[in-house]
mmCIF file of all heavy atoms in Angstrom:
data_model
loop_
_atom_site.group_PDB
_atom_site.id
_atom_site.type_symbol
_atom_site.label_atom_id
_atom_site.label_comp_id
_atom_site.label_asym_id
_atom_site.label_seq_id
_atom_site.Cartn_x
_atom_site.Cartn_y
_atom_site.Cartn_z
ATOM 1 N N MET A 1111 90.379 82.922 95.482
ATOM 2 C CA MET A 1111 91.591 83.266 96.135
ATOM 3 C C MET A 1111 92.752 82.234 95.772
ATOM 4 O O MET A 1111 93.804 82.656 95.537
ATOM 5 C CB MET A 1111 91.392 83.347 97.611
ATOM 6 C CG MET A 1111 92.619 83.820 98.292
ATOM 7 S SD MET A 1111 92.299 83.830 100.159
ATOM 8 C CE MET A 1111 91.747 85.500 100.187
ATOM 9 N N SER A 1112 92.495 80.956 95.993
ATOM 10 C CA SER A 1112 93.506 80.062 95.680
ATOM 11 C C SER A 1112 94.043 80.032 94.301
ATOM 12 O O SER A 1112 95.215 79.839 93.996
ATOM 13 C CB SER A 1112 93.156 78.649 96.113
ATOM 14 O OG SER A 1112 92.122 78.027 95.357
ATOM 15 N N ARG A 1113 93.072 80.210 93.303
ATOM 16 C CA ARG A 1113 93.463 80.263 91.903
ATOM 17 C C ARG A 1113 94.368 81.465 91.634
ATOM 18 O O ARG A 1113 95.351 81.498 90.903
ATOM 19 C CB ARG A 1113 92.295 80.314 91.036
ATOM 20 C CG ARG A 1113 92.460 80.298 89.494
ATOM 21 C CD ARG A 1113 92.990 78.829 89.214
ATOM 22 N NE ARG A 1113 93.305 78.850 87.685
ATOM 23 C CZ ARG A 1113 94.609 78.535 87.327
ATOM 24 N NH1 ARG A 1113 95.546 78.163 88.166
ATOM 25 N NH2 ARG A 1113 94.876 78.597 86.061
ATOM 26 N N ILE A 1114 94.021 82.720 92.244
ATOM 27 C CA ILE A 1114 94.900 83.847 92.176
ATOM 28 C C ILE A 1114 96.208 83.592 92.686
ATOM 29 O O ILE A 1114 97.266 83.886 92.087
ATOM 30 C CB ILE A 1114 94.168 85.031 92.750
ATOM 31 C CG1 ILE A 1114 92.909 85.392 91.964
ATOM 32 C CG2 ILE A 1114 95.172 86.285 92.828
ATOM 33 C CD1 ILE A 1114 92.042 86.507 92.566
ATOM 34 N N GLU A 1115 96.205 83.046 93.849
ATOM 35 C CA GLU A 1115 97.633 82.719 94.502
ATOM 36 C C GLU A 1115 98.466 81.896 93.564
ATOM 37 O O GLU A 1115 99.610 82.032 93.461
ATOM 38 C CB GLU A 1115 97.346 81.927 95.915
ATOM 39 C CG GLU A 1115 96.893 82.722 96.915
ATOM 40 C CD GLU A 1115 96.494 82.073 98.158
ATOM 41 O OE1 GLU A 1115 96.225 80.809 98.137
ATOM 42 O OE2 GLU A 1115 96.347 82.574 99.303
ATOM 43 N N GLN A 1116 97.877 80.781 93.130
ATOM 44 C CA GLN A 1116 98.675 79.982 92.009
ATOM 45 C C GLN A 1116 99.133 80.765 90.906
ATOM 46 O O GLN A 1116 100.350 80.382 90.521
ATOM 47 C CB GLN A 1116 97.713 78.775 91.606
ATOM 48 C CG GLN A 1116 97.378 77.810 92.669
ATOM 49 C CD GLN A 1116 96.400 76.755 92.135
ATOM 50 O OE1 GLN A 1116 95.834 76.844 90.974
ATOM 51 N NE2 GLN A 1116 96.157 75.653 92.897
ATOM 52 N N THR A 1117 98.353 81.501 90.340
ATOM 53 C CA THR A 1117 98.641 82.205 89.111
ATOM 54 C C THR A 1117 99.782 83.193 89.371
ATOM 55 O O THR A 1117 100.715 83.288 88.649
ATOM 56 C CB THR A 1117 97.480 82.846 88.530
ATOM 57 O OG1 THR A 1117 96.480 81.985 88.196
ATOM 58 C CG2 THR A 1117 97.874 83.652 87.253
ATOM 59 N N VAL A 1118 99.589 83.984 90.335
ATOM 60 C CA VAL A 1118 100.623 85.077 90.771
ATOM 61 C C VAL A 1118 101.973 84.347 91.228
ATOM 62 O O VAL A 1118 103.107 84.744 90.727
ATOM 63 C CB VAL A 1118 100.139 85.941 91.905
ATOM 64 C CG1 VAL A 1118 101.265 86.842 92.387
ATOM 65 C CG2 VAL A 1118 99.069 86.871 91.295
ATOM 66 N N ALA A 1119 101.896 83.268 91.950
ATOM 67 C CA ALA A 1119 103.093 82.649 92.320
ATOM 68 C C ALA A 1119 103.809 81.904 91.119
ATOM 69 O O ALA A 1119 105.002 81.884 91.041
ATOM 70 C CB ALA A 1119 102.837 81.516 93.316
ATOM 71 N N SER A 1120 102.936 81.407 90.182
ATOM 72 C CA SER A 1120 103.556 80.848 88.924
ATOM 73 C C SER A 1120 104.237 81.990 88.083
ATOM 74 O O SER A 1120 105.247 81.764 87.526
ATOM 75 C CB SER A 1120 102.415 80.268 88.175
ATOM 76 O OG SER A 1120 102.915 79.833 86.873
ATOM 77 N N GLN A 1121 103.615 83.118 88.047
ATOM 78 C CA GLN A 1121 104.123 84.323 87.300
ATOM 79 C C GLN A 1121 105.496 84.612 87.879
ATOM 80 O O GLN A 1121 106.484 84.903 87.184
ATOM 81 C CB GLN A 1121 103.249 85.461 87.350
ATOM 82 C CG GLN A 1121 102.034 85.322 86.468
ATOM 83 C CD GLN A 1121 102.428 85.257 85.017
ATOM 84 O OE1 GLN A 1121 103.171 86.011 84.386
ATOM 85 N NE2 GLN A 1121 101.986 84.007 84.447
ATOM 86 N N MET A 1122 105.506 84.711 89.264
ATOM 87 C CA MET A 1122 106.760 85.006 89.996
ATOM 88 C C MET A 1122 107.947 83.947 89.613
ATOM 89 O O MET A 1122 109.000 84.454 89.337
ATOM 90 C CB MET A 1122 106.567 85.125 91.398
ATOM 91 C CG MET A 1122 105.736 86.385 91.874
ATOM 92 S SD MET A 1122 105.331 86.338 93.545
ATOM 93 C CE MET A 1122 106.836 86.164 94.334
ATOM 94 N N ALA A 1123 107.480 82.706 89.660
ATOM 95 C CA ALA A 1123 108.439 81.768 89.387
ATOM 96 C C ALA A 1123 109.072 81.637 87.945
ATOM 97 O O ALA A 1123 110.168 81.157 87.742
ATOM 98 C CB ALA A 1123 107.910 80.260 89.710
ATOM 99 N N ASN A 1124 108.297 82.200 87.095
ATOM 100 C CA ASN A 1124 108.643 82.150 85.640
ATOM 101 C C ASN A 1124 108.900 83.599 85.146
ATOM 102 O O ASN A 1124 108.792 83.771 83.839
ATOM 103 C CB ASN A 1124 107.496 81.504 84.794
ATOM 104 C CG ASN A 1124 107.387 80.048 85.158
ATOM 105 O OD1 ASN A 1124 108.249 79.191 84.938
ATOM 106 N ND2 ASN A 1124 106.215 79.648 85.844
ATOM 107 N N GLY A 1125 109.431 84.399 85.902
ATOM 108 C CA GLY A 1125 109.749 85.698 85.488
ATOM 109 C C GLY A 1125 108.764 86.631 84.907
ATOM 110 O O GLY A 1125 108.956 87.459 84.084
ATOM 111 N N LEU A 1126 107.526 86.591 85.521
ATOM 112 C CA LEU A 1126 106.434 87.521 85.120
ATOM 113 C C LEU A 1126 106.157 87.444 83.573
ATOM 114 O O LEU A 1126 105.831 88.435 83.008
ATOM 115 C CB LEU A 1126 106.704 88.856 85.677
ATOM 116 C CG LEU A 1126 106.938 89.000 87.190
ATOM 117 C CD1 LEU A 1126 107.466 90.241 87.539
ATOM 118 C CD2 LEU A 1126 105.537 88.619 87.899
ATOM 119 N N PHE A 1127 106.352 86.247 82.971
ATOM 120 C CA PHE A 1127 106.304 86.152 81.496
ATOM 121 C C PHE A 1127 104.938 86.460 80.898
ATOM 122 O O PHE A 1127 104.824 86.900 79.789
ATOM 123 C CB PHE A 1127 106.753 84.783 81.029
ATOM 124 C CG PHE A 1127 105.577 83.754 81.296
ATOM 125 C CD1 PHE A 1127 104.924 83.272 80.205
ATOM 126 C CD2 PHE A 1127 105.502 83.088 82.502
ATOM 127 C CE1 PHE A 1127 103.960 82.134 80.409
ATOM 128 C CE2 PHE A 1127 104.529 82.163 82.718
ATOM 129 C CZ PHE A 1127 103.792 81.593 81.613
ATOM 130 N N LYS A 1128 103.870 86.365 81.719
ATOM 131 C CA LYS A 1128 102.505 86.806 81.079
ATOM 132 C C LYS A 1128 101.998 88.041 81.850
ATOM 133 O O LYS A 1128 100.781 88.273 81.657
ATOM 134 C CB LYS A 1128 101.655 85.662 81.127
ATOM 135 C CG LYS A 1128 101.788 84.499 80.112
ATOM 136 C CD LYS A 1128 100.685 83.586 80.056
ATOM 137 C CE LYS A 1128 100.893 82.647 78.882
ATOM 138 N NZ LYS A 1128 99.676 81.869 78.668
ATOM 139 N N SER A 1129 102.831 88.636 82.596
ATOM 140 C CA SER A 1129 102.309 89.844 83.249
ATOM 141 C C SER A 1129 102.814 91.148 82.598
ATOM 142 O O SER A 1129 103.836 91.126 81.872
ATOM 143 C CB SER A 1129 102.910 89.893 84.653
ATOM 144 O OG SER A 1129 102.454 88.850 85.359
ATOM 145 N N LYS A 1130 102.107 92.205 82.707
ATOM 146 C CA LYS A 1130 102.577 93.469 82.095
ATOM 147 C C LYS A 1130 102.340 94.524 83.189
ATOM 148 O O LYS A 1130 101.725 94.351 84.208
ATOM 149 C CB LYS A 1130 101.490 93.804 81.051
ATOM 150 C CG LYS A 1130 101.397 92.888 79.942
ATOM 151 C CD LYS A 1130 100.181 93.252 78.948
ATOM 152 C CE LYS A 1130 100.132 92.114 77.914
ATOM 153 N NZ LYS A 1130 98.782 91.720 77.747
ATOM 154 N N PHE A 1131 103.066 95.698 82.962
ATOM 155 C CA PHE A 1131 102.791 96.730 83.866
ATOM 156 C C PHE A 1131 101.411 97.192 83.813
ATOM 157 O O PHE A 1131 100.837 97.429 82.780
ATOM 158 C CB PHE A 1131 103.844 97.975 83.638
ATOM 159 C CG PHE A 1131 105.240 97.605 84.038
ATOM 160 C CD1 PHE A 1131 106.128 97.579 83.016
ATOM 161 C CD2 PHE A 1131 105.583 97.529 85.316
ATOM 162 C CE1 PHE A 1131 107.528 97.251 83.384
ATOM 163 C CE2 PHE A 1131 106.871 97.212 85.748
ATOM 164 C CZ PHE A 1131 107.777 97.082 84.665
ATOM 165 N N ALA A 1132 100.840 97.448 85.047
ATOM 166 C CA ALA A 1132 99.362 97.777 85.124
ATOM 167 C C ALA A 1132 99.221 99.231 84.927
ATOM 168 O O ALA A 1132 98.155 99.723 84.371
ATOM 169 C CB ALA A 1132 98.756 97.234 86.340
#
Side-chain angles (χ1 to χ4, degrees):
M1111 181 180 275
S1112 65
R1113 186 70 184 122
I1114 291 171
E1115 288 173 339
Q1116 289 174 354
T1117 301
V1118 171
S1120 174
Q1121 287 298 301
M1122 291 170 57
N1124 293 295
L1126 301 170
F1127 76 104
K1128 285 196 174 184
S1129 297
K1130 301 173 183 132
F1131 286 113

